[in-house]
Amino acid sequence: MKLLILFCGGTLVMEQDRDGVLVAPPHERAVRNLLTIEPKLSQVAELAVTYIDNIDSTNINPSHWDKIARTISEEYNKYDGFIITHGTDTMAYTSSALSFALQNIGKPVILTGSQIPGSKIETDARRNLINAVRVATHDIAGVMIVFYERIIWGTRASKVSESKLNAFQSLNWDLLGEIRIDIRFSDNHFRRHDGKLNLQTGYEQNIAVATFVPGTPTRVLLQLLESGIKGLVLRGYGSGNVGYEYLDVLREAGKQNIPVVVNTQCMEGATLMHLYDVGKKALDLGVIQGFDMGIETCVTKLMWALKHADGVDAVREIMHTNYCNEINIEGKLY
Ligand code: ASP
């Protein structure tokens, strides 16, 4: 098996400076750090490395997602799978964004990283990297995160702990697989296929995410609409409930043709906006329900939809289309 590693930096290859702060070392040393994490890795698969960037993933932006997706597309026929080494902070945004850009992918694209630098004896980098490479040699396709014991769909992952080695969780959906003594995949995983990769890059950056709390003045949200945004993710309470005082914000967004996706501030669960009057009134003003998509998926899908559709209804249609197990509507649509 031939695998291509797309190098993006992250803690995996970082070093501590004199003050003990973790920083990205110079490019060549960073790549060397990656390659020395486990010298026996080449026994599992033949590996090549290509450089995307050497950053703390806090500094990632949609141009990196475009570059990663384009690189995979250009190298698609030469490799059996792709590993993206990436910082953990924004890994779930990248995995979700790539899931939409790499339509009909017939090979595995696996993101991994570590909580502890690879140079430390207690590092989780070695284990995660080895498992990512192992998973990539199987009959599996699609974008996913391999981290600690979990294999998670790219659109269902969320970083839930800044310190646990099991840092990622699968939101509102089963794991894609588990790393035990052996590797176990769920029954519904996508398998490799020879179909044509359909590259759909492009993400609109001019969006905002707003979380209101009891007492947030309406004008704060109205000002966001005046700032030139093309879309808004509004984080409602519980099942997507929006206080009556913010209905003016939704009316204004409607007038300006700005799609508003409402998701939930809860960690788990879905929006069900017709359940309470506070949700129904917002729904009747034309907002788009996020249903069971986590914040990383709502955001990246909206960014992607805004580049591939024109107008609120076309954006709604994309948001409510299930591309890669990211949304489960099951007749709850309207
Ligand atoms: N700040 C780091 C990053 O996201 C954290 C990590 O890699 O674990 O690049």
Side-chain angles (χ1 to χ4, degrees), residues 24 48 73 89 91 116 176 205 211 214 223 255 290 307:
S73 168
D89 286 348
M91 191 185 287
I116 304 170
L176 187 47
Q205 283 185 239
T211 305
Q223 277 163 7
K255 269 193 229 154
K307 283 281 183 190

Side-chain angles (χ1 to χ4, degrees), residues 269-296:
T271 60
L272 250 194
M273 293 183 68
H274 48 266
L275 194 59
Y276 294 94
D277 190 54
V278 277
K280 179 74 169 50
K281 286 225 161 48
L283 194 58
D284 289 346
L285 289 173
V287 301
I288 301 169
Q289 293 209 61
F291 290 106
D292 61 340
M293 293 187 286
I295 187 65
E296 295 89 344

Side-chain angles (χ1 to χ4, degrees), residues 100-307:
F100 301 117
L102 298 169
Q103 301 275 322
N104 199 40
I105 185 132
K107 296 178 182 180
V109 174
I110 299 177
L111 289 99
T112 200
S114 70
Q115 293 276 65
I116 304 170
S119 57
K120 300 236 175 195
I121 192 161
E122 67 273 29
T123 188
D124 52 331
R126 183 178 172 276
R127 166 192 187 127
N128 289 342
L129 190 59
I130 294 170
N131 284 331
V133 171
R134 288 173 70 212
V135 170
T137 61
H138 282 74
D139 183 12
I140 188 164
V143 182
M144 65 205 82
I145 288 181
V146 171
F147 212 90
Y148 200 68
E149 293 174 341
R150 297 181 177 145
I151 308 170
I152 307 175
W153 292 89
T155 52
R156 291 289 185 175
S158 189
K159 183 176 177 182
V160 292
S161 174
E162 52 76 31
S163 56
K164 285 185 184 166
L165 302 186
N166 224 355
F168 288 87
Q169 198 167 299
S170 182
L171 295 186
N172 303 322
W173 204 250
D174 292 341
L175 289 173
L176 187 47
E178 278 184 277
I179 317 278
R180 298 198 188 176
I181 289 177
D182 54 336
I183 297 176
R184 299 183 188 181
F185 294 104
S186 72
D187 292 339
N188 64 350
H189 72 271
F190 297 149
R191 293 180 187 275
R192 290 173 182 272
H193 63 79
D194 295 330
K196 200 167 161 14
L197 172 67
N198 176 10
L199 182 67
Q200 296 284 340
T201 51
Y203 307 90
E204 173 58 59
Q205 283 185 239
N206 287 303
I207 67 147
V209 179
T211 305
F212 52 74
V213 297
T216 299
T218 306
R219 76 178 145 70
V220 171
L221 301 183
L222 285 171
Q223 277 163 7
L224 266 182
L225 296 181
E226 298 310 318
S227 67
I229 55 167
K230 302 269 187 339
L232 175 69
V233 176
L234 188 63
R235 310 205 68 192
Y237 300 127
S239 50
N241 298 324
V242 178
Y244 295 137
E245 62 197 304
Y246 306 121
L247 295 180
D248 279 346
V249 177
L250 303 181
R251 277 188 206 101
E252 187 53 35
K255 269 193 229 154
Q256 295 187 32
N257 266 321
I258 298 174
V260 179
V261 178
V262 174
N263 95 326
T264 174
Q265 294 184 22
C266 297
M267 183 81 200
E268 282 178 342
T271 60
L272 250 194
M273 293 183 68
H274 48 266
L275 194 59
Y276 294 94
D277 190 54
V278 277
K280 179 74 169 50
K281 286 225 161 48
L283 194 58
D284 289 346
L285 289 173
V287 301
I288 301 169
Q289 293 209 61
F291 290 106
D292 61 340
M293 293 187 286
I295 187 65
E296 295 89 344
T297 303
C298 273
V299 165
T300 51
K301 197 173 181 184
L302 178 61
M303 290 168 115
W304 183 76
L306 286 165
K307 283 281 183 190

Side-chain angles (χ1 to χ4, degrees), residues 10-12 14 55-58 86-90 114-115 159:
T11 297
L12 196 87
M14 282 187 192
I55 50 169
D56 188 302
S57 77
T58 300
H86 195 292
T88 57
D89 286 348
T90 58
S114 70
Q115 293 276 65
K159 183 176 177 182

